[in-house]
Amino acid sequence: TDKDDFTGTYTQELRSPISTILSQNEEFSEYTKLLNYCDMYNALNQSTSGVSFTAFVPNNAAMKEFYNRRGIDSLQCMSVEYAKAFVKYHTVLGSISTEGFVTKKTVTNLADDDLPVAIDSLNAGQAWLKNQGHIIHMGDSAYNGFIYTLDKAITPLVETAYDRISEDASS
């Protein structure tokens, strides 16, 4: 079960907050496990004082591909700190609707990194973040923001140059 101490607290009649929506969709079960693992589940359900988020969420296939890229077989092989950095790297403070997103050149994530945005010229309704994260579904509305589905996750900039070189050498 999900570690949501605030079940129902922020739920609106028609829309739930981000983490709750993700936990109700099997396509995001791996990301939901990650949110719980690094204690970020409730953070993405926050909706007090006008706080909202835009979450770029890798689906299960994207999470498994990311693990393969990292040379691991599950999220438990990641440190909690790395898992938290991964969530922050895929999350933006503030609600960005689809209409607003398609006009952006960059978005700034919770790690304070600017991620370039490029509309996918080959696939209508899709886009790229940092030429790495592939958005295949844009802007599902949540009570406290929007959810964008990725079929390819972004690698956070918390790795050292040595980590990157070692990763490249093992591929």
Side-chain angles (χ1 to χ4, degrees):
T1 65
D2 300 318
K3 296 189 310 188
D4 186 356
D5 299 330
F6 304 103
T7 302
T9 304
Y10 304 122
T11 302
Q12 202 180 42
E13 188 173 317
L14 297 176
R15 296 184 296 164
S16 295
I18 292 169
S19 293
T20 301
I21 289 174
L22 296 176
S23 70
Q24 295 168 349
N25 187 331
E26 182 58 34
E27 180 180 14
F28 303 114
S29 62
E30 197 63 29
Y31 197 76
T32 301
K33 289 177 197 171
L34 180 77
L35 291 173
N36 285 313
Y37 177 71
C38 67
D39 202 25
M40 293 286 287
Y41 186 91
N42 286 329
L44 287 186
N45 266 357
Q46 182 176 330
S47 62
T48 57
S49 304
V51 172
S52 62
F53 301 100
T54 300
F56 298 98
V57 182
N59 61 22
N60 290 343
M63 290 299 296
K64 289 177 181 159
E65 187 274 335
F66 178 75
Y67 298 155
N68 286 338
R69 257 191 285 154
R70 301 257 322 132
I72 60 176
D73 57 7
S74 71
L75 70 94
Q76 287 81 9
C77 296
M78 285 190 263
S79 71
V80 171
E81 294 78 24
Y82 187 89
K84 192 173 280 196
F86 183 88
V87 172
K88 288 180 177 181
Y89 207 75
H90 285 81
T91 308
V92 171
L93 184 61
S95 294
I96 305 172
S97 67
T98 303
E99 296 80 16
F101 181 76
V102 297
T103 65
K104 296 211 173 277
K105 301 266 188 248
T106 63
V107 293
T108 304
N109 62 23
L110 293 179
D112 207 28
D113 293 308
D114 290 330
L115 306 177
V117 174
I119 301 304
D120 188 333
S121 59
L122 301 177
N123 299 293
Q126 298 183 13
W128 289 91
L129 278 179
K130 198 182 161 199
N131 293 321
Q132 192 181 39
H134 190 229
I135 300 168
I136 58 169
H137 187 77
M138 291 205 203
D140 285 329
S141 182
Y143 177 67
N144 64 334
F146 289 90
I147 300 167
Y148 289 73
T149 304
L150 298 174
D151 74 351
K152 185 161 186 192
I154 309 167
T155 302
L157 290 176
V158 295
E159 298 173 346
T160 66
Y162 176 78
D163 292 334
R164 289 284 178 117
I165 291 167
S166 298
E167 181 179 304
D168 290 342
S170 66
S171 335

